[in-house]
Every structure is written in structure tokens, then in C-alpha cells.
Amino acid sequence: METKRIRLRSDSIIQDKELQEAAALLRQGEVVAFPTETVYGLGANALDSEACAKIYAVKGRPSDNPLIVHVAALDEAQQLVRVWPPQAEVCARNFWPGPLTLVLPKRAHIPEIVSGGLDTVAVRMPSHPVALALIEAAGCPLAAPSANISGKPSPTNAEHVWRDLKGKIPLLIDAGSCTVGLESTVLDLTGELPTILRPGGITLEQLRAVLGKVELDRSADQGQPTVEPRSPGMKYRHYAPEGEIILFSGSTSEKAEKMTKYLRNKNNAVRTAVLCLEETVARLTGDTAGKADMIFTLGSRNNLDSAASRLFEGLRLCDEQNIDTILAEEIAEEGIGLAFMNRLKKAAGKKNFGPGSRYPNLTETKEENTWN
Ligand code: TXA
Ligand code: MG
């Protein structure tokens, strides 16, 4: 299949002919990759199960991992659910459109394939003007996971999508880079207390400020799956680069000191990348920075939103550069740092360690792969 790639500017989309073409494809049961403020999504008509089946096929996604349904208006969200509790109203008023997904009891007309067999549905109103215009033009809610091949980091620009899905989908809408760069926060509102199943663009602190008590699901918290996660997506290994990630903790100077030591002693045959805040990179001493095969700067520690928006790009670049070892720094797990660390820990997870793997001498426990 030939993939058409169109470039849309956020400020001139309303009557756009190409947007109408994308909307028509969606109405015909096709999939379209489109930008959101978090990451690029691979959309299909959420009420058309055959169209949604194509999403799973294209991504190579396990069919019990449900999809988020994207809407452009509040009443559209309410029509998807059996109950709209006061907490949903509070969340929508404060954070929609934006990077927050609400899990609520689903109505019967939502296809099984969208909800992965669960009795609930995940709903979100994205804030990206192109996403909103596309949903409106299509005239239906759009089921959309991140537009990456399963197991790769979510795409934060159109080039990432192009590399993963070229030839597999009819259309990609390119609107540049995503501003948030990490996926939406998934908040479960079906239990006694609102519970974060996946930390993301809206922080725990922001949610607590308007909802009061909010819990963090343990599997979301640890970046490692528990046996029976409430969000099916948590049990899959996501965001994993080919290389091994080694995490560095402590103050900026401690992290820099430990990295310096690591780089000095490293085997030159092992391609090594540094994925760090600029203040940490600046403190790598002597010629050690030169011993790294790649340095990817996440921006300043005074702007962690920007670090979050660049993380996936950095991980993808490591793969493109055939990096074996990625030296990555930890940041405090507060604010957007919680989502950042959740993705980084998952990426550092046990993907390909152990006998028969690329790293036979590394064990699966995170601690042992942490350089402290
Ligand atoms: O920012 C985002 O959320 C992006 C953009 C495209 O909107 N989408 C995204 O979708 O990240 P995806 O499919 O990659 O991740 C959806 C997550 C998965 O962890 C999935 O298990 C969870 O949401 N989820 C979906 N429906 C659910 C439900 N009914 N109950 C619990 N978790 C659900
Ligand atoms: Mg995803």
C-alpha cells in the first residue's frame, strides 16, 4: 500500500481539502495517522469494529489491549458512557481538551474490539487543533493508539510514524512535533477512588488539586507490570530501545561524576549514548564526553516539560545509531517527572536480558542494571 503524507498547519485547517480527504477515508473504514498534543495516533472510526481491527493488524498489537476513543465535544464523550460521574465533569472542565484520558463504564454500542473485552471505555478530548478538526470532519469518535509499531517508543513527530508505518496505512497527517511528547494520563473513574493507571501529560498533583484524593495504581507507579494490571496496556513491554539502559541517580554533580567514571572505564567497542539534561552533560569532566558515541541533551533541568517532550525522540535516535548502552539520568518523580520516569524505567525494563538474549550476563532485575 502506498502511504500518502500530507502536511497540515494548525492555523489553516478548517476548510482544508486534504483534511476532508482524511475524514472521508475514516468514514470509509480506513485508518489514518494524525497528530495529537501528546503523541501521534493511528485513528479509525471507533464505532466500526472492522476499521478498528485494522489498527491492531497494522501495529501488531495484542487484541486484549484496548484503545482510547478520541472525541471533539463533551456530549460526544457522554454518549459513549453509561454514567458520567461528577469527577468526570470536574476533569473535563479542568483538563479537556488535553492530555487526560478517562476510563468509564461503556455503552453497549462500543465494539468489543475497542474495549478489549472490558466493560469500560477510555475517552479523551485531545487539544491539538488538527486532531479536533479531524474528529469533527470525520463525524465520528476516533479510536486511536499511539501510531508506532508495538514495542517501539510512541512517535512524537511525523517522521517517526513514517518510519514505522510507511506502506502499511493509506494516510499520514504531518503537523510537526508533538508538544507534550509523552502519552496522556489514564485515569480510572470506575472505582471508589480516582486511580491513575498510566501517568502522563496531566500530573498527579494537578489531578489532586481538583479531585482531592487520587491513587496511583501500583503497576503504573513501578514502571514494571504487576500480575493483573487494571490497565491491560501496563502488562506489555513498551517503549523499549534495542540497547540496554543504565540509570543514574543522585544530584546533578553525583550523576555526572558516576557517568564520568562509567565512560572512562567503558569498553570502546560498546557503542554508548548519554541521554541527559544539559546541566549534567556540562559536568562530564575531562575528555569523557568525547568517549560517548552520542550525546542527546534533553534540555534544561529548569524545563522538565521539554525534557519529557524529547525523551522518546532520544530513545529512537539511540536505535538509529545502533547504540548498545544508554546512560540515562533519573529525575525526581514529581510533576511531569512521574510520567518521564515511568517511561524511562519501562524502557530500561527486562526486555532482552538473560540467557540467549543480547545481554546474557545482565539479569532481569532493575536494581542490578542500575549503576549507583
Ligand atoms: O496520549 C495518548 O493517550 C495517545 C494519543 C494518540 O491519544 N494514545 C495512546 O494510546 O497512548 P495507547 O493505545 O498507546 O495507550 C492506551 C492505554 C493503554 O495502556 C491501554 O491499556 C489503556 O490506555 N486503556 C485503554 N482502554 C482502557 C480501559 N477501558 N481500561 C483501562 N485501560 C485502558
Ligand atoms: Mg502506545
Side-chain angles (χ1 to χ4, degrees), residues 195-285:
T195 302
I196 292 180
L197 304 182
R198 177 179 73 180
I202 297 295
T203 66
L204 177 62
E205 294 85 347
Q206 283 175 293
L207 289 170
R208 283 189 174 149
V210 299
L211 289 174
K213 206 155 185 236
V214 175
E215 291 203 322
L216 187 59
D217 189 61
R218 277 194 55 227
S219 60
D221 186 23
Q222 294 169 348
Q224 285 289 341
T226 49
V227 185
E228 196 82 60
R230 280 166 70 179
S231 178
M234 305 309 287
K235 72 173 179 262
Y236 300 105
R237 291 176 202 167
H238 273 297
Y239 327 110
E242 289 293 312
E244 169 212 0
I245 295 184
I246 301 181
L247 299 175
F248 291 74
S249 59
S251 67
T252 297
S253 51
E254 281 164 354
K255 287 185 279 200
E257 203 177 301
K258 286 185 258 181
M259 277 190 197
T260 297
K261 198 163 136 201
Y262 186 96
L263 285 167
R264 263 199 203 121
N265 297 321
K266 91 175 183 77
N267 175 346
N268 282 336
V270 177
R271 285 180 60 74
T272 306
V274 169
L275 189 70
C276 270
L277 296 167
E278 64 193 33
E279 290 82 359
T280 313
V281 172
R283 281 183 174 78
L284 295 178
T285 52

Coordinates of all heavy atoms in Angstrom, one line a residue, residues 195-285:
T195 N -8.2 6.7 40.1 CA -6.9 6.0 40.1 C -6.1 6.2 38.8 O -6.7 5.9 37.7 CB -7.1 4.5 40.4 OG1 -7.8 4.3 41.6 CG2 -5.8 3.7 40.5
I196 N -4.9 6.6 38.9 CA -4.1 6.8 37.7 C -3.6 5.4 37.3 O -2.8 4.8 38.0 CB -2.9 7.8 38.0 CG1 -3.4 9.2 38.2 CG2 -1.9 7.7 36.8 CD1 -2.3 10.2 38.5
L197 N -3.9 5.0 36.1 CA -3.4 3.7 35.6 C -2.1 3.9 34.8 O -1.3 3.0 34.6 CB -4.5 3.1 34.7 CG -5.9 2.8 35.3 CD1 -6.8 2.1 34.3 CD2 -5.7 2.0 36.6
R198 N -2.0 5.1 34.2 CA -0.8 5.5 33.5 C -0.5 7.0 33.7 O -1.3 7.8 33.3 CB -1.0 5.2 32.0 CG 0.3 5.6 31.2 CD 0.1 5.3 29.7 NE -0.8 6.2 29.0 CZ -1.1 6.2 27.7 NH1 -0.7 5.2 26.9 NH2 -2.0 7.1 27.2
P199 N 0.6 7.3 34.3 CA 0.9 8.7 34.5 C 1.2 9.3 33.1 O 1.7 8.6 32.2 CB 2.2 8.7 35.4 CG 2.8 7.4 35.3 CD 1.7 6.4 34.9
G200 N 0.9 10.6 33.0 CA 1.1 11.2 31.6 C 1.1 12.7 31.7 O 1.5 13.3 32.7
G201 N 0.6 13.3 30.7 CA 0.7 14.8 30.5 C 0.0 15.6 31.6 O 0.4 16.7 31.8
I202 N -1.1 15.1 32.2 CA -1.7 15.8 33.3 C -1.2 15.1 34.6 O -1.3 13.9 34.7 CB -3.2 15.7 33.2 CG1 -3.8 16.5 32.0 CG2 -3.9 16.3 34.5 CD1 -3.6 18.0 31.9
T203 N -0.6 15.9 35.5 CA 0.1 15.3 36.6 C -0.8 14.9 37.7 O -1.9 15.4 37.9 CB 1.2 16.3 37.1 OG1 0.5 17.4 37.7 CG2 2.1 16.8 36.0
L204 N -0.2 14.0 38.6 CA -0.9 13.6 39.8 C -1.3 14.8 40.6 O -2.4 14.9 41.2 CB 0.0 12.6 40.6 CG -0.5 12.1 41.9 CD1 -1.7 11.3 41.8 CD2 0.6 11.3 42.6
E205 N -0.4 15.7 40.7 CA -0.6 16.9 41.6 C -1.8 17.8 41.0 O -2.6 18.3 41.7 CB 0.7 17.8 41.6 CG 1.9 17.2 42.3 CD 2.7 16.2 41.5 OE1 2.3 15.8 40.4 OE2 3.8 15.9 41.9
Q206 N -1.8 17.9 39.7 CA -2.9 18.7 39.0 C -4.2 18.0 39.3 O -5.2 18.6 39.6 CB -2.7 18.7 37.5 CG -1.6 19.7 37.1 CD -1.4 19.6 35.6 OE1 -0.9 18.6 35.0 NE2 -1.8 20.7 34.8
L207 N -4.2 16.7 39.2 CA -5.5 15.9 39.5 C -5.9 16.0 40.9 O -7.1 16.3 41.2 CB -5.3 14.4 39.1 CG -5.2 14.2 37.6 CD1 -4.8 12.8 37.3 CD2 -6.6 14.5 36.9
R208 N -5.0 15.9 41.8 CA -5.3 16.0 43.3 C -5.8 17.4 43.6 O -6.7 17.6 44.5 CB -4.1 15.7 44.1 CG -3.8 14.2 44.2 CD -2.8 13.8 45.2 NE -2.7 12.3 45.2 CZ -1.6 11.6 45.5 NH1 -0.5 12.2 45.7 NH2 -1.7 10.3 45.5
A209 N -5.3 18.4 42.9 CA -5.7 19.8 43.2 C -7.2 20.0 42.9 O -7.9 20.8 43.6 CB -4.9 20.8 42.4
V210 N -7.8 19.2 42.0 CA -9.2 19.4 41.7 C -10.1 18.3 42.2 O -11.3 18.5 42.4 CB -9.4 19.7 40.2 CG1 -8.7 20.9 39.7 CG2 -9.1 18.5 39.3
L211 N -9.5 17.1 42.4 CA -10.3 15.9 42.8 C -10.2 15.5 44.2 O -10.9 14.7 44.7 CB -9.9 14.7 41.9 CG -10.3 14.7 40.4 CD1 -9.7 13.5 39.7 CD2 -11.8 14.8 40.2
G212 N -9.2 16.1 44.9 CA -8.9 15.6 46.2 C -8.0 14.3 46.2 O -7.0 14.3 45.5
K213 N -8.5 13.3 46.8 CA -7.7 12.0 46.8 C -7.7 11.4 45.5 O -8.7 11.1 44.8 CB -8.3 11.1 47.9 CG -7.3 10.2 48.4 CD -7.6 9.7 49.8 CE -6.5 8.8 50.3 NZ -6.7 7.5 50.7
V214 N -6.4 11.1 45.0 CA -6.3 10.3 43.8 C -5.2 9.3 44.0 O -4.1 9.6 44.6 CB -5.8 11.3 42.6 CG1 -5.5 10.5 41.4 CG2 -6.8 12.3 42.3
E215 N -5.5 8.0 43.6 CA -4.5 7.0 43.8 C -3.7 6.7 42.6 O -4.0 7.1 41.5 CB -5.2 5.7 44.2 CG -5.8 5.8 45.6 CD -6.0 4.5 46.2 OE1 -6.4 3.5 45.5 OE2 -5.8 4.3 47.4
L216 N -2.5 6.1 42.8 CA -1.6 5.7 41.7 C -1.6 4.2 41.7 O -1.2 3.6 42.7 CB -0.3 6.3 42.0 CG 0.8 6.2 40.9 CD1 0.3 6.9 39.6 CD2 2.1 6.9 41.4
D217 N -2.1 3.6 40.6 CA -2.1 2.2 40.5 C -0.6 1.6 40.6 O 0.3 2.2 40.1 CB -2.7 1.7 39.2 CG -2.9 0.2 39.1 OD1 -3.7 -0.3 39.9 OD2 -2.3 -0.4 38.2
R218 N -0.5 0.6 41.3 CA 0.9 0.1 41.6 C 1.7 -0.2 40.3 O 2.9 0.0 40.2 CB 0.9 -1.1 42.5 CG 0.8 -0.6 44.0 CD 1.2 -1.8 44.9 NE 2.5 -2.3 44.7 CZ 2.7 -3.7 44.6 NH1 1.7 -4.5 44.8 NH2 3.9 -4.1 44.4
S219 N 1.0 -0.8 39.3 CA 1.7 -1.2 38.1 C 2.1 0.1 37.3 O 3.1 0.1 36.6 CB 0.8 -2.1 37.2 OG -0.4 -1.4 36.9
A220 N 1.3 1.2 37.5 CA 1.6 2.4 36.9 C 2.8 3.1 37.6 O 3.7 3.6 37.0 CB 0.5 3.4 37.0
D221 N 2.9 2.9 38.9 CA 3.9 3.5 39.7 C 5.3 3.0 39.4 O 6.2 3.7 39.4 CB 3.4 3.2 41.2 CG 4.3 3.9 42.2 OD1 5.0 4.9 41.8 OD2 4.4 3.4 43.3
Q222 N 5.3 1.6 39.3 CA 6.6 1.0 39.3 C 7.3 0.9 37.9 O 8.5 0.6 37.8 CB 6.5 -0.4 39.8 CG 6.1 -0.4 41.3 CD 5.7 -1.8 41.8 OE1 5.5 -2.7 40.9 NE2 5.6 -2.0 43.1
G223 N 6.5 1.2 36.9 CA 7.1 1.0 35.6 C 7.4 -0.4 35.2 O 7.9 -0.8 34.2
Q224 N 6.9 -1.3 36.1 CA 7.1 -2.7 35.9 C 5.7 -3.3 36.1 O 5.0 -2.9 37.0 CB 8.0 -3.4 36.9 CG 9.5 -3.1 36.7 CD 10.0 -3.8 35.5 OE1 9.4 -4.8 35.1 NE2 11.1 -3.4 35.0
P225 N 5.3 -4.2 35.2 CA 3.9 -4.7 35.3 C 3.7 -5.6 36.5 O 4.6 -6.3 36.9 CB 3.8 -5.6 34.0 CG 5.2 -5.8 33.6 CD 6.1 -4.8 34.1
T226 N 2.5 -5.5 37.1 CA 2.1 -6.4 38.1 C 1.4 -7.6 37.5 O 1.2 -7.6 36.3 CB 1.2 -5.8 39.2 OG1 0.2 -5.1 38.5 CG2 1.9 -4.8 40.0
V227 N 1.0 -8.6 38.2 CA 0.4 -9.8 37.6 C -0.9 -9.5 36.9 O -1.1 -9.8 35.7 CB 0.2 -10.8 38.7 CG1 -0.3 -12.1 38.1 CG2 1.4 -11.1 39.5
E228 N -1.7 -8.7 37.5 CA -3.1 -8.5 37.0 C -3.3 -7.0 36.9 O -4.0 -6.4 37.7 CB -4.1 -9.1 37.8 CG -5.5 -9.3 37.2 CD -5.6 -10.5 36.3 OE1 -5.3 -11.7 36.8 OE2 -5.9 -10.4 35.1
P229 N -2.7 -6.3 35.9 CA -2.8 -4.8 35.9 C -4.3 -4.4 35.5 O -4.9 -5.1 34.8 CB -1.8 -4.4 34.8 CG -1.6 -5.6 34.0 CD -1.9 -6.8 34.8
R230 N -4.7 -3.3 36.1 CA -6.0 -2.8 35.8 C -6.1 -2.2 34.4 O -7.1 -2.2 33.7 CB -6.5 -1.8 36.8 CG -6.9 -2.4 38.1 CD -7.0 -1.4 39.2 NE -8.1 -0.4 39.0 CZ -8.4 0.5 39.8 NH1 -7.6 0.6 40.9 NH2 -9.3 1.4 39.6
S231 N -5.0 -1.7 33.9 CA -4.9 -1.2 32.5 C -4.1 -2.2 31.7 O -3.0 -2.4 32.0 CB -4.2 0.1 32.5 OG -4.1 0.5 31.1
P232 N -4.8 -2.9 30.8 CA -4.2 -4.0 30.1 C -2.8 -3.6 29.5 O -1.9 -4.4 29.4 CB -5.2 -4.4 29.0 CG -6.5 -4.0 29.6 CD -6.2 -2.7 30.4
G233 N -2.7 -2.4 29.0 CA -1.5 -1.9 28.4 C -0.3 -2.0 29.3 O 0.8 -2.1 28.8
M234 N -0.5 -2.0 30.6 CA 0.6 -2.0 31.5 C 1.4 -3.3 31.5 O 2.5 -3.4 32.0 CB 0.2 -1.7 32.9 CG -0.6 -0.4 33.1 SD 0.2 1.1 32.4 CE 1.5 1.4 33.5
K235 N 0.7 -4.4 31.0 CA 1.4 -5.6 31.1 C 2.3 -5.9 29.9 O 3.1 -6.8 29.9 CB 0.5 -6.8 31.3 CG -0.4 -7.2 30.1 CD -1.2 -8.4 30.5 CE -2.1 -8.9 29.3 NZ -3.4 -8.4 29.4
Y236 N 2.3 -5.0 28.9 CA 3.1 -5.2 27.8 C 4.4 -4.4 27.9 O 4.4 -3.3 28.5 CB 2.4 -4.8 26.5 CG 1.2 -5.7 26.3 CD1 -0.1 -5.2 26.5 CD2 1.4 -7.0 25.9 CE1 -1.2 -6.0 26.3 CE2 0.2 -7.8 25.8 CZ -1.0 -7.3 26.0 OH -2.1 -8.1 25.8
R237 N 5.4 -4.8 27.3 CA 6.7 -4.1 27.4 C 6.7 -3.0 26.3 O 6.7 -3.3 25.1 CB 7.9 -5.0 27.2 CG 8.0 -5.9 28.3 CD 9.2 -6.9 28.0 NE 9.0 -8.1 28.9 CZ 9.7 -9.2 28.7 NH1 10.5 -9.2 27.7 NH2 9.5 -10.2 29.5
H238 N 6.6 -1.8 26.7 CA 6.5 -0.7 25.8 C 7.9 0.0 25.7 O 8.8 -0.3 26.5 CB 5.5 0.3 26.2 CG 4.1 0.0 25.8 ND1 3.8 0.0 24.5 CD2 3.0 -0.3 26.5 CE1 2.5 -0.3 24.4 NE2 2.0 -0.5 25.6
Y239 N 7.9 0.9 24.8 CA 9.0 2.0 24.9 C 10.4 1.4 25.0 O 11.2 2.0 25.7 CB 8.7 2.9 26.1 CG 7.3 3.2 26.4 CD1 6.8 2.7 27.6 CD2 6.5 3.9 25.6 CE1 5.5 2.9 28.0 CE2 5.2 4.2 26.0 CZ 4.7 3.7 27.1 OH 3.4 3.9 27.5
A240 N 10.6 0.3 24.4 CA 11.9 -0.3 24.7 C 12.9 -0.1 23.5 O 12.6 -0.6 22.4 CB 11.8 -1.8 25.0
P241 N 14.0 0.5 23.7 CA 15.0 0.6 22.7 C 15.8 -0.7 22.6 O 15.7 -1.5 23.5 CB 15.9 1.7 23.2 CG 15.8 1.7 24.7 CD 14.4 1.2 25.0
E242 N 16.6 -0.8 21.5 CA 17.4 -2.1 21.3 C 18.5 -2.2 22.4 O 18.8 -3.2 22.8 CB 18.0 -2.0 20.0 CG 17.1 -2.2 18.8 CD 16.5 -3.6 18.8 OE1 17.3 -4.6 18.9 OE2 15.3 -3.8 18.6
G243 N 19.0 -1.0 22.7 CA 20.1 -1.0 23.7 C 19.7 -1.2 25.1 O 18.5 -1.1 25.5
E244 N 20.7 -1.4 26.0 CA 20.5 -1.5 27.4 C 20.5 -0.1 28.0 O 21.4 0.7 27.6 CB 21.6 -2.4 28.0 CG 21.6 -2.4 29.5 CD 23.1 -2.6 30.0 OE1 24.0 -2.6 29.2 OE2 23.2 -2.6 31.2
I245 N 19.6 0.2 28.9 CA 19.6 1.5 29.6 C 20.2 1.3 31.0 O 19.8 0.4 31.7 CB 18.2 2.1 29.6 CG1 17.7 2.3 28.2 CG2 18.2 3.3 30.5 CD1 16.3 3.0 28.2
I246 N 21.1 2.2 31.3 CA 21.6 2.2 32.7 C 21.2 3.5 33.3 O 21.4 4.6 32.7 CB 23.2 2.0 32.7 CG1 23.5 0.7 32.0 CG2 23.7 2.1 34.1 CD1 25.0 0.4 32.0
L247 N 20.5 3.4 34.5 CA 20.0 4.6 35.1 C 21.0 5.2 36.1 O 21.6 4.4 36.9 CB 18.7 4.3 35.8 CG 17.6 3.8 34.8 CD1 16.3 3.4 35.6 CD2 17.2 4.9 33.8
F248 N 21.1 6.5 36.2 CA 22.0 7.2 37.1 C 21.1 8.1 38.0 O 20.3 8.8 37.5 CB 23.0 8.0 36.4 CG 24.0 7.1 35.6 CD1 23.7 6.5 34.5 CD2 25.3 7.0 36.2 CE1 24.6 5.7 33.8 CE2 26.2 6.2 35.5 CZ 25.9 5.6 34.3
S249 N 21.4 7.9 39.3 CA 20.6 8.7 40.3 C 21.4 9.6 41.1 O 22.7 9.6 41.0 CB 19.8 7.8 41.2 OG 20.6 7.0 41.9
G250 N 20.8 10.5 41.9 CA 21.6 11.4 42.7 C 21.4 12.9 42.3 O 20.6 13.2 41.5
S251 N 22.3 13.7 42.9 CA 22.3 15.1 42.5 C 22.9 15.3 41.1 O 23.5 14.3 40.6 CB 23.0 16.0 43.5 OG 24.4 15.6 43.4
T252 N 22.8 16.4 40.5 CA 23.4 16.6 39.2 C 24.8 16.3 39.2 O 25.3 15.6 38.3 CB 23.2 18.1 38.7 OG1 21.7 18.3 38.6 CG2 23.8 18.4 37.4
S253 N 25.6 16.8 40.2 CA 27.0 16.5 40.2 C 27.3 15.0 40.5 O 28.2 14.5 39.9 CB 27.8 17.5 41.1 OG 27.2 17.4 42.4
E254 N 26.5 14.4 41.3 CA 26.7 13.0 41.6 C 26.5 12.2 40.3 O 27.2 11.3 39.9 CB 25.8 12.5 42.7 CG 26.2 12.8 44.1 CD 25.1 12.7 45.1 OE1 23.9 12.4 44.7 OE2 25.4 12.8 46.3
K255 N 25.4 12.5 39.6 CA 25.1 11.8 38.4 C 26.2 11.9 37.4 O 26.7 11.0 36.7 CB 23.8 12.3 37.8 CG 22.6 11.8 38.6 CD 21.2 12.2 37.9 CE 20.8 13.6 38.2 NZ 19.4 13.9 38.0
A256 N 26.7 13.2 37.2 CA 27.8 13.5 36.3 C 29.0 12.7 36.7 O 29.8 12.2 35.8 CB 28.0 15.0 36.2
E257 N 29.3 12.7 37.9 CA 30.5 12.0 38.4 C 30.5 10.5 38.1 O 31.4 9.9 37.6 CB 30.6 12.3 39.9 CG 32.0 12.1 40.5 CD 31.9 12.4 42.0 OE1 31.5 13.6 42.4 OE2 32.2 11.6 42.8
K258 N 29.3 9.9 38.4 CA 29.2 8.5 38.1 C 29.3 8.2 36.6 O 29.9 7.2 36.2 CB 27.9 8.0 38.7 CG 27.9 7.9 40.2 CD 26.6 7.3 40.8 CE 25.7 8.3 41.3 NZ 24.4 7.8 41.9
M259 N 28.7 9.0 35.8 CA 28.7 8.8 34.4 C 30.2 9.0 33.9 O 30.6 8.2 33.0 CB 27.8 9.8 33.6 CG 26.4 9.4 33.6 SD 25.5 10.5 32.5 CE 23.8 10.1 33.0
T260 N 30.8 10.0 34.4 CA 32.2 10.2 34.0 C 33.0 8.9 34.3 O 33.8 8.5 33.4 CB 32.8 11.4 34.8 OG1 32.1 12.6 34.5 CG2 34.3 11.6 34.5
K261 N 32.8 8.4 35.5 CA 33.6 7.2 35.8 C 33.2 6.0 34.9 O 34.1 5.3 34.4 CB 33.2 6.8 37.3 CG 34.1 5.9 38.0 CD 33.9 5.9 39.5 CE 33.9 4.5 40.1 NZ 33.2 4.5 41.3
Y262 N 31.9 5.9 34.6 CA 31.5 4.8 33.7 C 32.1 5.0 32.3 O 32.7 4.0 31.8 CB 30.0 4.8 33.6 CG 29.4 3.7 32.8 CD1 29.0 2.5 33.5 CD2 29.4 3.7 31.4 CE1 28.5 1.4 32.8 CE2 29.0 2.6 30.7 CZ 28.5 1.5 31.4 OH 28.1 0.4 30.7
L263 N 32.1 6.2 31.8 CA 32.6 6.4 30.4 C 34.1 6.2 30.4 O 34.6 5.6 29.4 CB 32.3 7.8 30.0 CG 30.8 8.1 29.6 CD1 30.5 9.6 29.5 CD2 30.5 7.4 28.3
R264 N 34.8 6.6 31.4 CA 36.3 6.4 31.4 C 36.6 4.9 31.4 O 37.6 4.6 30.7 CB 36.8 6.9 32.8 CG 37.4 8.3 32.6 CD 38.3 8.7 33.7 NE 38.3 10.1 33.7 CZ 38.0 10.9 34.7 NH1 37.7 10.3 35.9 NH2 38.0 12.2 34.6
N265 N 35.8 4.1 32.0 CA 36.2 2.7 32.1 C 35.5 1.8 31.0 O 35.7 0.6 31.0 CB 35.8 2.1 33.5 CG 36.5 2.8 34.6 OD1 37.7 3.1 34.4 ND2 35.9 3.1 35.7
K266 N 34.7 2.4 30.2 CA 33.9 1.6 29.3 C 34.8 1.0 28.2 O 35.8 1.5 27.8 CB 32.8 2.4 28.7 CG 33.1 3.1 27.4 CD 31.9 3.8 26.8 CE 32.2 4.4 25.5 NZ 32.2 3.5 24.4
N267 N 34.3 -0.1 27.7 CA 34.9 -0.8 26.5 C 34.6 0.0 25.3 O 33.4 0.3 25.0 CB 34.2 -2.2 26.5 CG 34.6 -3.0 25.3 OD1 35.2 -2.4 24.3 ND2 34.3 -4.3 25.3
N268 N 35.6 0.4 24.5 CA 35.4 1.3 23.4 C 34.6 0.6 22.3 O 34.0 1.3 21.4 CB 36.7 1.7 22.8 CG 37.3 2.8 23.7 OD1 36.5 3.5 24.4 ND2 38.6 3.0 23.7
A269 N 34.5 -0.7 22.3 CA 33.7 -1.4 21.2 C 32.2 -1.3 21.5 O 31.4 -1.5 20.6 CB 34.1 -2.8 21.2
V270 N 31.8 -0.9 22.7 CA 30.4 -0.8 23.1 C 29.9 0.6 22.7 O 30.4 1.5 23.3 CB 30.2 -1.2 24.6 CG1 28.7 -1.0 24.9 CG2 30.7 -2.6 24.9
R271 N 29.0 0.6 21.8 CA 28.5 2.0 21.4 C 27.6 2.5 22.5 O 26.6 1.9 22.9 CB 27.7 1.9 20.1 CG 28.7 1.7 18.9 CD 27.9 1.7 17.6 NE 27.1 2.9 17.3 CZ 27.6 4.0 16.9 NH1 28.9 4.2 16.8 NH2 26.8 5.1 16.6
T272 N 28.0 3.7 23.0 CA 27.4 4.2 24.2 C 26.8 5.6 24.0 O 27.5 6.5 23.4 CB 28.4 4.3 25.4 OG1 29.0 3.0 25.5 CG2 27.8 4.7 26.7
A273 N 25.6 5.8 24.5 CA 25.0 7.1 24.4 C 24.7 7.7 25.7 O 24.5 7.0 26.7 CB 23.6 7.0 23.6
V274 N 24.7 9.0 25.8 CA 24.4 9.7 27.1 C 23.1 10.4 26.8 O 22.9 11.1 25.8 CB 25.5 10.7 27.4 CG1 25.0 11.7 28.5 CG2 26.7 10.0 27.9
L275 N 22.1 10.2 27.6 CA 20.7 10.8 27.5 C 20.5 11.6 28.7 O 20.1 11.1 29.8 CB 19.7 9.7 27.3 CG 18.3 10.0 26.9 CD1 18.2 10.5 25.5 CD2 17.4 8.7 27.1
C276 N 20.7 12.9 28.7 CA 20.8 13.7 29.9 C 20.3 15.1 29.8 O 20.3 15.7 28.7 CB 22.3 13.8 30.3 SG 22.7 12.4 31.4
L277 N 20.1 15.7 30.9 CA 19.8 17.2 31.0 C 21.1 17.9 30.7 O 22.2 17.4 31.0 CB 19.3 17.5 32.4 CG 17.9 16.9 32.7 CD1 17.6 17.0 34.2 CD2 16.8 17.5 31.9
E278 N 21.0 19.1 30.2 CA 22.2 19.8 29.8 C 23.1 20.2 30.9 O 24.3 20.2 30.8 CB 21.8 21.1 29.0 CG 21.1 22.2 29.7 CD 20.5 23.2 28.7 OE1 20.2 22.9 27.6 OE2 20.5 24.4 29.2
E279 N 22.6 20.4 32.1 CA 23.4 20.7 33.3 C 24.3 19.5 33.6 O 25.4 19.7 34.1 CB 22.6 21.1 34.5 CG 21.8 22.4 34.4 CD 20.5 22.4 33.6 OE1 20.2 21.3 33.1 OE2 19.9 23.4 33.5
T280 N 23.8 18.3 33.4 CA 24.5 17.1 33.7 C 25.6 16.9 32.7 O 26.8 16.6 33.0 CB 23.6 15.9 33.8 OG1 22.5 16.2 34.6 CG2 24.3 14.7 34.4
V281 N 25.3 17.1 31.4 CA 26.2 17.0 30.4 C 27.4 17.9 30.6 O 28.6 17.6 30.4 CB 25.6 17.2 29.0 CG1 26.6 17.2 27.9 CG2 24.6 16.1 28.7
A282 N 27.1 19.2 31.0 CA 28.1 20.2 31.2 C 29.1 19.8 32.3 O 30.2 20.3 32.3 CB 27.4 21.5 31.6
R283 N 28.7 18.9 33.2 CA 29.6 18.5 34.3 C 30.4 17.2 34.0 O 31.1 16.8 34.9 CB 28.8 18.3 35.6 CG 28.4 19.6 36.2 CD 27.7 19.3 37.5 NE 27.4 20.4 38.4 CZ 26.4 21.3 38.1 NH1 25.6 21.2 37.1 NH2 26.2 22.3 39.0
L284 N 30.2 16.6 32.8 CA 31.0 15.5 32.5 C 32.4 16.0 32.3 O 32.7 16.9 31.6 CB 30.6 14.8 31.2 CG 29.2 14.2 31.2 CD1 28.8 13.6 29.9 CD2 29.1 13.1 32.3
T285 N 33.4 15.4 33.1 CA 34.7 16.1 33.2 C 35.7 15.5 32.2 O 35.6 14.4 31.7 CB 35.2 16.0 34.6 OG1 35.2 14.6 35.0 CG2 34.4 16.8 35.5

